[in-house]
Amino acid sequence: MASEDIAKLAESLAKTKVGGGQLSFKGQSLKLNTAEDAEEVIKQIEEFDGLEALRLEGNTVGVEAAKVIAKALEKKSELKRCHWSDMFTGRLRSEIPPALISLGDALIAAGAQLVELDLSDNAFGPDGVRGFEALLKSPACYTLQELKLNNCGMGIGGGKILATALKECHRKSSAQGRPLALKIFVAGRNRLENDGATALAEAFGIIGTLEEVHMPQNGINHPGITALAQAFAINPLLKVINLNDNTFTEKGAVAMAETLKALRQIEVINFGDCLVRSKGAVAIADAVKEGLHKLKELNLSFCEIKRDAALTVVEAIEDKTELEKLDLNGNCLGEEVCEQLHEILEGFNMASVLGSLSDDEGDEDDDEEEEEEDDEEEEEEEQQLKERGAEEQESLTPKKIIDSQASTPVPSPPVDVATFLAFPSPEKLLRLGPKCSVLIAQQTDTSDVEKVVATLLRISSVFKDEAPVKTAVHETTDALMKKAFGSATFNSDAFITNLLVHMGLLKSEEKIKTVPSLYGILMTLNHMVQQDYFPKSLAPVLSAFVTKPNRALDSCSFARHMLLQTLHQL
């Protein structure tokens, strides 16, 4: 390590905050690769008597550095809080599990009894969960109250590993007469989907002590929402439920509403952007009206709620004296109904609780169309469940939350390319058969850049980490893009420009509808850019736009990290 680097590190460490049993290196951008790099950090840790909290956020710790830091932690038995979010910036995904294993083993060896573990904003994926699996199952976590894993890219596989570890921790700790009493669980932006959420729901039902659950932006549909609702019903201390930006539909909303009727401590309900629609909103309003006297915040924004349902929601909060915020923005109300909501709340002397309605979608008099859309969506969801051999959910018990019975096999209707492209889903892509890649490439006019981009976005939208789907997406993408880039008339520059516009990374003079989630296309691009057919001249352009700050990219940090890492290695 160069002398100027050591001086710079020493200067940075001089800013280290110490107090209240806490040692903080937060936000110092330390690059700790080797044992030598970590010498000053280790010294601070070793000399700190009574260390109860260690903050390593906003730095980057390599495998070798993690080992020597871990060695220093082996003597810190009083450590209770590990604030270790965003501490692997720029690391290869393969580096993170061994680093976590070293740190976890040290905590176990020290005999620490953790209260809080925060590993948020570390893009470690499912493999990373393996890195702290042993720690979660150990006596060091029998006392755990707060587990924060926001934006880690765990996926379905990681969610299942995590759920198993939590159940094992509860089983072992219960045998010792001190059962795990987890209070706060945070796992937003992890693409847990239905299977991951259902696995965690089983763990939640066994634990039974949760007070806050934050699981926004996880691609969870009504089967997963229903499983969570049933688990929440046997966590009577719940105060905060944040499931923002998942997809309830009426079924999920009704299930959650039934659970809310059984909970007495609820203070915050965040179901914004969850597509509860009008029928779901009415069910939730009924639950609010029947109880929830401690409710402080209700968020039903951007849920496609219409006039009568919105009025029902407002009328339900009349006696909620603790309410501080009601968010109904981004629904389909119209100016007249917005004014009516204000008038009703003024009558309740609660006008101040209503949030802005500036993004209201206006009064859409198309109930019949909405019902048809609902029916189509429900039918499609049911078909997907049948195709996967989904099982009917029964009432939950703390011992076994989800007992299921195999559904009767139903013949799958045939799928063609047009059907898949109109309503893409992983199941439809797989049902196109082994020739799906050839069929889609043959039926796409690759001389038209717009059509190539649209087809690519539809294919990538169904991307999953599960092997069969991932392989199908990759093969179909390869066939399409090899044909496109192989054509002498195909304009590669126009393609990348058009793609960036539809991804919301490049502004357009025309009003273009951007894709709702960038995860699938980022993961697909990560594969594409490694192929021989991909023009290497496009890599710098892609890298420049993916590097720029963008809210849409922030919600897909794992996929973004993977793509940038690949582009850097080209």
Side-chain angles (χ1 to χ4, degrees):
M1 195 175 189
S3 58
E4 61 268 23
D5 291 334
I6 294 174
K8 185 178 179 182
L9 177 60
E11 181 183 349
S12 180
L13 289 171
K15 301 174 185 176
T16 299
K17 297 179 181 178
V18 178
Q22 173 176 286
L23 178 60
S24 175
F25 301 95
K26 181 179 180 180
Q28 295 186 18
S29 301
L30 303 177
K31 296 180 180 179
L32 309 178
N33 298 316
T34 66
E36 184 183 4
D37 294 340
E39 281 180 359
E40 290 293 331
V41 173
I42 294 165
K43 182 181 177 183
Q44 295 269 1
I45 293 173
E46 289 177 340
E47 293 178 354
F48 196 110
D49 292 330
L51 180 63
E52 294 184 5
L54 178 61
R55 308 196 75 106
L56 292 173
E57 310 104 305
N59 299 290
T60 179
V61 181
V63 176
E64 189 179 338
K67 286 181 180 179
V68 292
I69 291 172
K71 193 70 178 175
L73 290 176
E74 287 180 359
K75 298 176 182 178
K76 301 299 175 181
S77 61
E78 296 178 22
L79 188 61
K80 293 180 174 62
R81 298 183 182 274
C82 297
H83 302 280
W84 294 350
S85 63
D86 188 24
M87 62 178 248
F88 296 110
T89 305
R91 296 291 168 186
L92 295 174
R93 184 171 166 181
S94 59
E95 290 182 87
I96 302 177
L100 288 173
I101 289 171
S102 295
L103 294 168
D105 288 348
L107 297 176
I108 297 170
Q113 294 187 328
L114 296 184
V115 172
E116 180 179 359
L117 177 60
D118 186 355
L119 292 170
S120 298
D121 299 317
N122 290 309
F124 48 58
D127 294 339
V129 185
R130 293 286 189 198
F132 59 93
E133 179 184 17
L135 173 63
L136 280 181
K137 294 178 179 180
S138 76
C141 285
Y142 290 178
T143 51
L144 196 63
Q145 295 180 14
E146 302 179 29
L147 179 58
K148 300 174 181 177
L149 300 166
N150 200 56
N151 196 28
C152 293
M154 289 190 291
I156 294 171
K160 289 181 176 180
I161 296 168
L162 176 61
T164 300
L166 288 172
K167 289 187 289 183
E168 183 71 2
C169 180
H170 187 274
R171 185 187 68 78
K172 288 183 175 180
S173 58
S174 297
Q176 296 292 322
R178 45 179 183 149
L180 172 67
L182 192 65
K183 294 181 179 180
I184 298 174
F185 180 83
V186 181
R189 297 179 177 179
N190 272 293
R191 295 195 64 84
L192 295 168
E193 302 185 16
N194 290 334
D195 291 347
T198 299
L200 285 167
E202 186 170 350
F204 295 163
I206 291 171
I207 294 168
T209 56
L210 289 168
E211 295 181 11
E212 295 185 21
V213 175
H214 302 264
M215 296 174 66
Q217 292 185 333
N218 270 298
I220 309 171
N221 299 325
H222 77 78
I225 296 298
T226 300
L228 288 171
Q230 293 171 332
F232 293 164
I234 41 182
N235 279 266
L237 302 177
L238 264 175
K239 296 178 182 178
V240 178
I241 302 177
N242 176 7
L243 294 174
N244 189 286
D245 199 7
N246 289 291
T247 307
F248 282 42
T249 65
E250 180 187 347
K251 288 187 177 182
V254 169
M256 195 60 70
E258 286 302 307
T259 285
L260 292 174
K261 292 177 182 178
L263 300 174
R264 295 287 178 264
Q265 306 300 320
I266 289 291
E267 296 178 3
V268 177
I269 298 172
N270 186 345
F271 297 159
D273 205 10
C274 282
L275 207 67
V276 303
R277 293 203 172 106
S278 293
K279 292 178 181 178
V282 170
I284 292 168
D286 289 344
V288 170
K289 189 171 185 177
E290 287 185 22
L292 306 188
H293 295 294
K294 296 183 179 182
L295 188 63
K296 294 181 180 179
E297 181 178 334
L298 176 60
N299 185 345
L300 294 175
S301 60
F302 298 93
C303 281
E304 295 191 5
I305 299 170
K306 297 196 173 182
R307 176 185 182 279
D308 292 342
L311 293 172
T312 301
V313 170
V314 169
E315 289 166 358
I317 66 168
E318 179 178 2
D319 63 344
K320 308 307 168 195
T321 56
E322 301 292 319
L323 193 70
E324 299 171 359
K325 183 179 180 181
L326 171 64
D327 194 344
L328 291 172
N329 198 19
N331 287 300
C332 310
L333 308 179
E335 186 176 343
E336 183 179 336
V337 176
C338 289
E339 291 177 1
Q340 196 172 351
L341 296 182
H342 280 288
E343 291 173 2
I344 293 172
L345 289 170
E346 283 177 0
F348 296 161
N349 197 26
M350 297 174 70
S352 62
V353 306
L354 185 62
S356 169
L357 297 172
S358 59
D359 292 320
D360 184 67
E361 295 290 336
D363 184 11
E364 298 179 5
D365 189 17
D366 56 358
D367 291 339
E368 184 176 335
E369 182 181 334
E370 179 185 340
E371 287 177 8
E372 289 176 1
E373 289 175 357
D374 286 352
D375 290 343
E376 285 180 11
E377 181 174 332
E378 297 296 342
E379 286 174 11
E380 186 171 331
E381 287 175 349
E382 294 300 332
Q383 186 59 45
Q384 289 176 11
L385 290 175
K386 289 172 184 175
E387 289 163 1
R388 293 170 53 191
E391 302 171 338
E392 289 290 329
Q393 304 261 351
E394 294 184 353
S395 59
L396 304 176
T397 64
K399 292 289 183 183
K400 186 174 183 181
I401 301 183
I402 301 165
D403 290 330
S404 53
Q405 299 175 343
S407 57
T408 304
V410 175
S412 299
V415 172
D416 56 21
V417 171
T419 302
F420 166 73
L421 293 177
F423 302 100
S425 72
E427 293 75 18
K428 288 195 184 88
L429 181 61
L430 294 176
R431 277 165 46 210
L432 280 171
K435 293 184 178 181
C436 64
S437 57
V438 177
L439 292 172
I440 291 176
Q442 284 178 344
Q443 296 186 38
T444 302
D445 180 5
T446 51
S447 65
D448 188 330
V449 168
E450 277 276 1
K451 288 182 180 178
V452 173
V453 169
T455 302
L456 175 63
L457 289 172
R458 284 178 172 83
I459 295 167
S460 64
S461 71
V462 307
F463 179 90
K464 282 188 174 184
D465 289 319
E466 298 168 6
V469 177
K470 182 193 290 188
T471 300
V473 169
H474 286 173
E475 290 178 351
T476 308
T477 298
D478 289 342
L480 173 69
M481 299 314 303
K482 190 173 183 179
K483 177 184 175 185
F485 286 128
S487 171
T489 58
F490 188 71
N491 190 328
S492 298
D493 292 333
F495 164 78
I496 199 70
T497 300
N498 195 288
L499 180 62
L500 290 169
V501 167
H502 280 82
M503 291 173 68
L505 305 183
L506 180 63
K507 290 184 179 180
S508 170
E509 294 180 1
E510 301 176 13
K511 190 173 182 180
I512 301 291
K513 185 176 180 180
T514 58
V515 293
S517 171
L518 294 181
Y519 181 81
I521 185 60
L522 289 173
M523 294 300 284
T524 303
L525 283 169
N526 185 54
H527 168 80
M528 268 179 59
V529 299
Q530 300 177 63
Q531 309 310 309
D532 291 338
Y533 61 72
F534 185 81
K536 297 301 182 268
S537 61
L538 299 183
V541 179
L542 188 57
S543 180
F545 281 93
V546 177
T547 304
K548 284 183 178 180
N550 188 290
R551 287 183 64 187
L553 288 169
D554 290 342
S555 64
C556 303
S557 65
F558 170 70
R560 180 190 202 178
H561 171 77
M562 292 285 288
L563 177 56
L564 287 175
Q565 182 176 291
T566 301
L567 288 169
H568 180 71
Q569 293 171 352
L570 290 177

